[in-house]
Amino acid sequence: MGKTLKSSTSNRRRFLKATGASVAALTLAGCASDDAGSGGDSGGSGDSGGDSGGSGGETGTTTGTPEQSVDEVIIGSNHPLSGSLAATGVGMSNAIKLAAMRKNEEGGIESLGGAEVTVIEGDNQGAQELGGQVSEELLSEGAHVLTGCYSSPVTTAATQVAERQGVPFVISIAAADNILQGRDFNYVYRPQPPARRLASDYADLVPSVIRDGGGTIDTAGLFYINNSYGQAIRDSLREFLPGQNVEIVEETAIEFGASNANTQVSRLRSADPDTIIATTYVAGGVLLAQALQDQDYRPPYLTASASATFTDDDAVGDIGEFANGVLDNNYALNPTVDKTAEVRSQFLDNYDQEFSASVGMSYTAAEVIIQAVEEAGSVDPDDINEALKGLSYEDHISAMGAIEFDDQGENVNALGPVNQVQDLSVKVVYPEEYAEAEPQV
């Protein structure tokens, strides 16, 4: 298998250093383990990358005190920079660079004498077999801490490598519960709500929003991506919706990389539910909207749970007027704090991209890492890990309380608020403490 980092054909890697008012791209020689084949293989053996930075002792500075010189703190960003998930993945990696840039503009890591935060990128292409390999490569390049990966299957492989090498991994986005639960990990953390919490929040919040607005929601049809992320949301919706008097009358899955959703929509239309609940990456939700329009069909309520499509202004713009009114519960930006607008504007200026909720969650993950390093006063992975365990981070831009991790690495205050597409813009509408608009139902 070939290299997976950017500029891979020349055995060179893309080295991105966030400093001053911009992010400069530099290219340095690098090497990666030749035997890391798939996410499962590279996570299951210690043959490749065992000396690549698991304890920080072989690849970079390991000082744990400000008195010793530390020039930089290196974050390894493992995201899909090419392939079908790249539109979101590139934005997520850019958000991590922006968080680094903002910290450097403030003077760097104060507890380390102003050490700069550097971001190096690896491209997992949205492929599970590359998740572990990219983690290996980033560690071989000197990363002190990792983040990623957007796709749940990719993240499962990537986190396995980090855990084996004893390097903290802060998940940017990946919803599947089993990424953390049941794996007895000690070095992996997830600020966002996992699938079970997202589905529980959907069941608790979305039917209430519809019923409080005078609507009826007694039946639902599920439309989900057929991987661990989509299946996890599906399974949890099966568990929680009956408790809110919502019966699932149809379930239909779309395969990753599918080109249309006409068959799935025909099945949903025959079941005639009060709502279709979509759980998809951006492309899958766009296919759903296209198929619904092709068949001139729309249920009384088009909703979503943890769907990237309906929290992304660009995707909503691509769908057009048909997207208006969609209710989606997902992680969200907090519109009630000034910092959100400031970061969003700065991101647009630097990268000419919209700052979606997915991008915003990545930005939050990067700030969690930076805060942990600041509190650790060290680039030693174990010191950073201990700081993450005791972290209580409030100054973030996500619509949830302070970020604090339990023994499994889950954020105890994670929340999936309700968003709605209004005038082709994604707005938080519930709970009220984070709402920027009234729900329209």
Side-chain angles (χ1 to χ4, degrees):
M1 180 178 296
K3 296 267 292 180
T4 60
L5 293 183
K6 299 283 283 186
S7 305
S8 59
T9 56
S10 61
N11 275 343
R12 297 169 73 86
R13 52 110 168 164
R14 191 178 180 190
F15 185 100
L16 293 129
K17 188 172 185 179
T19 182
S22 66
V23 177
L26 304 175
T27 309
L28 300 177
C31 61
S33 57
D34 294 327
D35 57 348
S38 72
D41 292 339
S42 63
S45 93
D47 293 336
S48 62
D51 295 329
S52 64
S55 66
E58 297 295 327
T59 61
T61 308
T62 59
T63 178
T65 62
E67 289 76 12
Q68 294 174 298
S69 176
V70 177
D71 293 329
E72 61 182 356
V73 175
I74 304 174
I75 300 173
S77 171
N78 182 348
H79 289 92
L81 308 180
S82 63
S84 62
L85 300 181
T88 303
V90 169
M92 292 169 67
S93 202
N94 284 340
I96 293 159
K97 290 183 280 184
L98 178 62
M101 183 181 73
R102 283 170 57 90
K103 182 64 174 178
N104 292 337
E105 288 177 341
E106 295 170 359
I109 304 295
E110 184 179 354
S111 65
L112 290 173
E116 288 195 341
V117 182
T118 298
V119 176
I120 55 176
E121 289 179 308
D123 180 11
N124 63 50
Q125 302 174 34
Q128 182 174 7
E129 64 270 20
L130 299 184
Q133 181 175 330
V134 170
S135 284
E136 295 273 10
E137 292 176 336
L138 291 169
L139 292 173
S140 75
E141 295 296 340
H144 301 113
V145 58
L146 299 174
T147 186
C149 295
Y150 187 33
S151 161
S152 288
V154 177
T155 307
T156 299
T159 52
Q160 188 171 346
V161 170
E163 181 70 19
R164 189 189 74 236
Q165 297 206 28
V167 176
F169 193 114
V170 178
I171 295 169
S172 53
I173 294 175
D177 298 295
N178 61 11
I179 293 170
L180 280 176
Q181 295 167 23
R183 298 180 83 187
D184 296 323
F185 278 177
N186 191 48
Y187 288 87
V188 183
Y189 303 86
R190 174 160 47 190
Q192 70 158 97
R196 183 175 173 82
R197 176 61 191 265
L198 285 165
S200 174
D201 286 343
Y202 178 97
D204 288 343
L205 303 178
V206 175
S208 293
V209 168
I210 291 173
R211 288 163 179 161
D212 288 350
T216 298
I217 175 171
D218 295 328
T219 58
L222 307 186
F223 176 89
Y224 62 94
I225 184 74
N226 195 26
N227 66 7
S228 59
Y229 140 64
Q231 293 160 8
I233 297 290
R234 174 204 64 193
D235 291 346
S236 293
L237 287 172
R238 287 174 179 171
E239 178 182 354
F240 293 118
L241 283 175
Q244 301 300 328
N245 298 313
V246 178
E247 177 189 3
I248 297 173
V249 294
E250 183 59 89
E251 299 178 5
T252 183
I254 187 169
E255 299 299 324
F256 185 78
S259 59
N260 70 76
N262 290 316
T263 299
Q264 291 85 350
V265 166
S266 293
R267 289 180 55 182
L268 290 164
R269 182 175 185 173
S270 295
D272 192 28
D274 294 324
T275 184
I276 291 174
I277 307 172
T279 299
T280 63
Y281 300 119
V282 170
V286 172
L287 290 177
L288 171 64
Q290 290 172 344
L292 288 168
Q293 292 176 88
D294 289 345
Q295 298 188 30
D296 193 26
Y297 166 64
R298 180 172 181 141
Y301 300 99
L302 184 54
T303 65
S305 181
S307 172
T309 311
F310 301 106
T311 53
D312 186 302
D313 282 330
D314 287 339
V316 165
D318 290 341
I319 293 170
E321 292 294 327
F322 190 80
N324 280 330
V326 174
L327 289 162
D328 171 59
N329 94 291
N330 209 340
Y331 36 80
L333 303 174
N334 185 352
T336 69
V337 296
D338 293 339
K339 182 180 176 181
T340 301
E342 177 186 314
V343 172
R344 178 174 249 157
S345 175
Q346 197 169 4
F347 185 83
L348 181 61
D349 290 344
N350 277 272
Y351 304 106
D352 195 28
Q353 291 178 286
E354 289 298 326
F355 197 71
S356 68
S358 297
V359 171
M361 200 68 240
S362 282
Y363 180 88
T364 294
E367 284 203 329
V368 165
I369 290 171
I370 291 167
Q371 182 64 23
V373 173
E374 187 72 79
E375 293 185 11
S378 170
V379 291
D380 182 272
D382 284 322
D383 293 337
I384 298 171
N385 198 51
E386 286 305 308
L388 284 165
K389 288 183 182 301
L391 189 72
S392 181
Y393 183 55
E394 297 182 358
D395 187 28
H396 59 78
I397 62 171
S398 295
M400 62 179 69
I403 295 172
E404 302 172 350
F405 299 109
D406 64 18
D407 291 342
Q408 293 189 82
E410 301 282 15
N411 177 13
V412 299
N413 296 314
L415 177 67
V418 181
N419 307 283
Q420 187 173 42
V421 180
Q422 298 181 1
D423 298 324
L424 295 183
S425 180
V426 181
K427 300 183 183 298
V428 182
V429 296
Y430 197 78
E432 293 181 2
E433 63 186 296
Y434 300 116
E436 58 185 317
E438 294 287 333
Q440 299 173 0
V441 296

